[in-house]
Amino acid sequence: MIKNQWYAILESKEVKKKPVGVTRLNEKLVLWRGADGKLNCIYDLCCHRGASLAIGCIKDNQIECPFHGFLYDGSGQVTLIPANGKADKVPSRYKVHSYIVKEKAGLIWLWYSDSNDGDIPEIPFFEELLEGFIYKTFAEVWPVHYTRAAENQMDVVHLPFVHTSTIGKGNKTIINGPVVKWQDNRMTFYVDNVFDDGQTKALKADQIENYESLFKLDFQMPNTWQNYIDEKVRVFAVFAPIDEENTKIYLRFYQKFLPVPIIGGMITSISNIFNRVILHQDRRVVLTQVPKKTELAMGENLIPGDLPIIEFRKRRKLLKETAN
Ligand code: FES
Ligand SMILES: [Fe+2]
C-alpha cells in the first residue's frame, strides 16, 4: 500500500450507531460515531489483552473494550482502566494507533500514513459528482489485490472479449491510443476502439488528433475511478484494499438526467443492475489472474493498448518511493 494517501475505505452508511470492525489496508480497524457525531477510527485490538473493540460499547464519545472495560478515546488513548479505579491516572503507554478519517461524497476516507502530523492534503474526489447527481451503490469483495481490480477498469483492450454481450459489442478489437494525461495524481485516458477490417493498424497515442473528443475515463490515485459516460451519467468505483489478497469494490451509478427521488432512484437502481452484470463479466476473468498483485516490473508482456495500466504502475512506484 502507498503511504501518505487518502483511501476511500467504506461508505458512510456502513457506520451507524454501533462500532464497526473492518480490515482495510492490511489493518484491523474499529470505527464508531461518538455522541458528538464525530467519526473515530482506531486499531481494533485492545492493548490490554488483545480483544476486539468492535464488539464493545460506545460510551459518549469513547469506546469500551468488551473484556475488562478499558475505555478508549478517538486518539486511541485509554482514559479509564476500571480495575484501577476512576481516581487512578492512566499512563500514556496504554494506547493504540488512531487513524485520521473524514467523510466526503457518502464515503469514509482514511489518511494512510506513518504520521498524523503535518499538512494533510484535501481528499481528491471527482468534485463534479457532488453537483446534482444521485447515485446507487453496489458493493462486493473480490479475492484479488486492489491493483488487479483497479487495473481491470483501466484495461481498454478487454472490452470486445470480456463484454461481448454488453459494452464490448461490435468486435472493436483495434485500440487507437490510448492517450494518457496526468493532472496531479489523476490520470485521464482517452481511447477509440475500432473494428479490424484487416487493413488498419492501431494508431499510436501521438498519431491521434483531437483526443479530447474520444471516450474518456479517470483514475484518481490511489483507489478511485470514474467512467465519464457523459455530462449527466457516470460510473464511479472505489477499490478499497482489505489486505494483500482481497479488495472491496464499491460501484456507483451516478446520474442527473432525472435527479428526483422515486423515479430517478428506480432508474439509477436498474442501471446499477446492468453495471453489476458488467462487473461480473470482469470478475470471471480477473479472479484467474496470477499473481494477485501487480508491480511495474513483474514479467508481463504488455502492449501499447495497456498504456493506462503501465502509467498506473509507474505512478504507484513513484508515490511509494517518495513516501518512504
Ligand atoms: S482485553 Fe480489553 S480491557 Fe482487557
Ligand atoms: Fe470490464
Side-chain angles (χ1 to χ4, degrees):
M1 311 298 167
I2 311 165
K3 293 276 169 73
N4 299 334
Q5 299 286 321
W6 281 109
Y7 285 82
I9 59 163
L10 286 166
E11 282 205 301
S12 291
K13 65 183 182 198
E14 291 179 273
V15 182
K16 297 196 176 98
K17 289 195 170 151
K18 290 187 174 166
V20 172
V22 289
T23 301
R24 291 289 187 269
L25 300 145
N26 282 322
E27 309 205 7
K28 264 168 65 84
L29 311 173
V30 56
L31 295 100
W32 77 95
R33 292 184 193 280
D36 59 1
K38 186 172 174 288
L39 183 69
N40 301 284
C41 179
I42 65 175
Y43 185 51
D44 184 22
L45 196 147
C46 181
C47 67
H48 178 217
R49 290 183 54 222
S52 167
L53 302 170
I55 56 167
C57 295
I58 299 167
K59 296 272 172 86
D60 291 328
N61 299 325
Q62 306 190 78
I63 189 165
E64 182 188 72
C65 178
F67 210 173
H68 314 97
F70 281 32
L71 200 58
Y72 290 81
D73 67 16
S75 76
Q77 178 65 50
V78 176
T79 59
L80 173 66
I81 298 175
N84 292 353
K86 287 183 182 161
D88 196 58
K89 187 170 177 336
V90 178
S92 60
R93 71 174 184 279
Y94 291 93
K95 188 175 185 7
V96 296
H97 188 67
S98 70
Y99 303 82
I100 294 175
V101 283
K102 277 192 185 175
E103 293 179 89
K104 183 166 191 174
L107 293 163
I108 296 173
W109 303 74
L110 182 143
W111 176 246
Y112 184 64
S113 177
D114 289 333
S115 163
N116 285 350
D117 303 327
D119 284 346
I120 297 176
E122 292 292 311
I123 293 170
F125 187 66
F126 304 110
E127 296 293 324
E128 71 269 24
L129 295 179
L130 300 175
E131 290 161 17
F133 282 93
I134 61 171
Y135 66 84
K136 285 274 181 340
T137 309
F138 165 70
E140 68 181 12
V141 174
W142 282 17
V144 296
H145 189 262
Y146 85 97
T147 49
R148 284 293 192 198
E151 286 182 6
N152 172 55
Q153 303 300 345
M154 298 168 213
D155 182 333
V156 294
V157 183
H158 79 288
L159 294 168
F161 301 97
V162 172
H163 304 297
T164 321
S165 60
T166 53
I167 52 173
K169 278 184 188 161
N171 202 23
K172 296 179 182 172
T173 51
I174 290 189
I175 309 301
N176 287 330
V179 175
V180 174
K181 300 286 173 193
W182 284 94
Q183 193 167 20
D184 297 326
N185 284 321
R186 179 172 302 174
M187 168 171 55
T188 301
F189 48 105
Y190 304 82
V191 67
D192 184 26
N193 290 25
V194 296
F195 180 75
D196 188 354
D197 59 6
Q199 320 286 320
T200 312
K201 277 193 183 174
L203 294 174
K204 299 207 171 62
D206 59 6
Q207 296 173 308
I208 298 180
E209 290 168 14
N210 300 327
Y211 64 84
E212 280 169 316
S213 64
L214 303 181
F215 183 69
K216 73 170 180 176
L217 300 104
D218 294 318
F219 190 85
Q220 172 65 53
M221 301 297 284
N223 75 327
T224 56
W225 169 91
Q226 170 177 223
N227 182 348
Y228 193 101
I229 294 173
D230 74 27
E231 201 49 45
K232 295 188 172 174
V233 183
R234 312 289 169 85
V235 183
F236 165 82
V238 168
F239 308 97
I242 296 175
D243 55 27
E244 294 297 317
E245 303 205 331
N246 295 283
T247 301
K248 186 153 182 183
I249 300 177
Y250 296 86
L251 192 72
R252 285 180 174 177
F253 182 79
Y254 276 81
Q255 62 88 3
K256 62 175 175 184
F257 55 82
L258 204 55
V260 289
I262 297 178
I263 299 184
M266 273 163 52
I267 288 175
T268 312
S269 297
I270 291 165
S271 305
N272 221 11
I273 291 169
F274 180 64
N275 283 321
R276 183 194 320 204
V277 170
I278 295 167
L279 192 69
H280 287 179
Q281 291 178 328
D282 290 315
R283 185 178 65 175
R284 177 175 163 267
V285 182
V286 175
L287 265 51
T288 69
Q289 286 185 282
V290 177
K292 288 187 175 206
K293 175 180 179 178
T294 71
E295 305 285 351
L296 183 57
M298 62 182 294
E300 291 187 346
N301 279 315
L302 302 183
I303 59 176
D306 294 322
L307 187 60
I309 292 170
I310 299 166
E311 290 272 338
F312 169 67
R313 292 180 184 180
K314 280 187 184 163
R315 186 58 60 113
R316 284 193 77 235
K317 184 165 184 285
L318 180 72
L319 290 176
K320 268 189 168 178
E321 286 167 357
T322 47
N324 290 332

